[in-house]
Amino acid sequence: MTADKTLSLYFSLFNEIGIISQLSSALVNEQLPKGLSNAHFNVLIHLDRLGDGQTPLAISRAFQLPKTTMTHTLCGLETHQLIEMRPNPKDGRSKCVWLTQKGHAFRNKIINNLAPDLIKLSTQIPQDRILNTITGLAEIRKIMDANRED
Amino acid sequence: MTADKTLSLYFSLFNEIGIISQLSSALVNEQLPKGLSNAHFNVLIHLDRLGDGQTPLAISRAFQLPKTTMTHTLCGLETHQLIEMRPNPKDGRSKCVWLTQKGHAFRNKIINNLAPDLIKLSTQIPQDRILNTITGLAEIRKIMDANRED
DNA sequence: CTATAATGATTCGATATCGCACTAAACAAT
DNA sequence: ATTGTTTAGTGCGATATCGAATCATTATAG
């Protein structure tokens, strides 16, 4: 295969991915109140799924974002009382991030509001298609992630 | 299929997409000089592929971005002399965006610099996998795009 | 034709992202 | 114990994103 063909193939891939990323962000944003963005919601999801009590640095690494960005995002979540920042008992420099009751409830509410849109999607696209696409994406993601480090 | 399963399936999908979107943006950003971002580069690509002379509004719609964002991005490109903004002969309120020689050359250079990374990827992932994934993504994107309007 | 509405682009203010520099705490090496 | 290095988090400045309001031009209605 020519280099040109390869390039345009991957440009197509990344173009589709970019568009869907934007569309899915829009879906979530529609459900969020003013003052809270995708960035905030993703952190809530993350803490709920993988457990809270993590440090800000660990979270910023999980999202591969600069820690200054995470400081800002966590600050917003704390202002809205969706998380609590407590000192890290194991390291005086560090903090631990905990979901509050309100944070849990908020996450659940947003996910519930999201459900109709996603369930509608699931009626429009065969499940096999989604599963196969996820499999392909996961492979691509793993390799790109591995390449990133060298 | 339960609603819960459906939700987590689509969350997985969008999660993979979000990560790859971030990784591919990073690939491009590595090749861009300070002062020019993905946003700028994507506009150059767009003008080269689909033809220049478009209005700012048309471009902002193509990317589904607010027109104020596009004003800002185009302003940056103009400062770097990668595009020219000329009055629209068909509408006194409007402008047309044209690639300069420098803009063309810049696009070509960046794409060339990007090539090694993408060609490496193409040696790591079977082409069929990429093609199938693109097909799946395109279907998902089309349906989400259509849903967006109602 | 004139008055009104709609449209393309910009300005402005608010928030987000991110690199750089800084502080405080922990760790490492003697 | 002391000193130098590394690490966690934050403050700050630059740029990006985006909604609301504004200005100029065009389209529409009567």
Side-chain angles (χ1 to χ4, degrees):
Chain A
M1 191 178 188
T2 69
D4 265 13
K5 286 273 182 189
T6 298
L7 294 199
S8 64
L9 184 68
Y10 277 85
F11 270 71
S12 298
L13 174 69
F14 295 143
N15 192 41
E16 292 291 354
I17 287 175
I19 294 171
I20 298 179
S21 174
Q22 210 170 351
L23 291 171
S24 68
S25 293
L27 276 187
V28 175
N29 264 319
E30 280 173 19
Q31 306 300 332
L32 292 175
K34 210 189 73 150
L36 290 173
S37 69
N38 243 291
H40 301 107
F41 182 64
N42 287 333
V43 170
L44 292 184
I45 296 283
H46 177 80
L47 292 174
D48 180 83
R49 276 217 334 164
L50 303 182
D52 51 0
Q54 299 181 45
T55 67
L57 187 59
I59 302 173
S60 73
R61 283 191 178 131
F63 288 103
Q64 294 180 195
L65 289 174
K67 55 186 181 172
T68 56
T69 303
M70 196 47 62
T71 297
H72 185 73
T73 304
L74 293 174
C75 190
L77 285 167
E78 199 178 23
T79 300
H80 287 81
Q81 304 178 335
L82 302 177
I83 61 167
E84 267 179 28
M85 306 269 278
R86 303 192 206 136
N88 187 340
K90 310 203 168 178
D91 188 333
R93 296 166 297 183
S94 180
K95 299 183 176 175
C96 294
V97 182
W98 299 90
L99 281 170
T100 62
Q101 200 59 37
K102 194 175 167 190
H104 267 297
F106 180 82
R107 170 205 172 271
N108 291 337
K109 196 190 76 178
I110 300 301
I111 287 189
N112 267 305
N113 295 350
L114 232 35
D117 282 340
L118 299 184
I119 288 172
K120 175 175 179 188
L121 263 186
S122 74
T123 67
Q124 297 171 297
I125 310 174
Q127 190 185 331
D128 275 2
R129 184 111 272 191
I130 302 293
L131 285 169
N132 289 333
T133 305
I134 292 178
T135 305
L137 289 170
E139 180 177 355
I140 295 166
R141 186 251 308 155
K142 278 182 200 129
I143 291 174
M144 289 182 73
D145 225 338
N147 287 348
R148 204 174 53 87
E149 289 148 24
D150 18 86
Chain B
M1 189 178 192
T2 69
D4 264 13
K5 286 273 184 189
T6 298
L7 294 198
S8 65
L9 185 68
Y10 277 86
F11 270 70
S12 298
L13 174 69
F14 294 144
N15 192 40
E16 292 291 355
I17 287 174
I19 294 171
I20 299 179
S21 174
Q22 211 171 349
L23 292 171
S24 68
S25 292
L27 276 188
V28 176
N29 263 320
E30 280 174 18
Q31 304 303 331
L32 292 175
K34 212 191 72 154
L36 290 172
S37 69
N38 244 288
H40 301 107
F41 183 64
N42 286 333
V43 170
L44 291 185
I45 296 284
H46 177 81
L47 291 174
D48 181 83
R49 274 215 339 162
L50 303 182
D52 50 359
Q54 298 181 46
T55 67
L57 188 60
I59 301 172
S60 73
R61 284 191 179 132
F63 288 102
Q64 294 180 195
L65 289 174
K67 53 188 180 173
T68 58
T69 303
M70 196 46 63
T71 296
H72 185 73
T73 304
L74 292 174
C75 192
L77 285 167
E78 198 177 22
T79 300
H80 286 81
Q81 303 178 337
L82 302 177
I83 61 165
E84 269 180 28
M85 307 269 278
R86 302 191 207 140
N88 187 340
K90 309 204 167 176
D91 188 334
R93 295 165 297 184
S94 179
K95 299 184 175 176
C96 295
V97 182
W98 299 90
L99 281 171
T100 62
Q101 198 61 36
K102 193 176 166 189
H104 265 297
F106 181 82
R107 170 204 171 271
N108 292 337
K109 195 190 75 176
I110 300 301
I111 288 189
N112 267 305
N113 294 350
L114 233 35
D117 283 340
L118 300 184
I119 288 173
K120 176 177 179 187
L121 263 186
S122 74
T123 67
Q124 298 171 295
I125 311 173
Q127 189 184 334
D128 275 1
R129 186 112 267 195
I130 301 294
L131 284 169
N132 288 332
T133 305
I134 292 178
T135 304
L137 289 170
E139 180 177 354
I140 295 166
R141 186 251 308 155
K142 277 183 201 126
I143 291 174
M144 290 183 72
D145 223 340
N147 287 350
R148 204 174 54 87
E149 289 148 24
D150 16 87

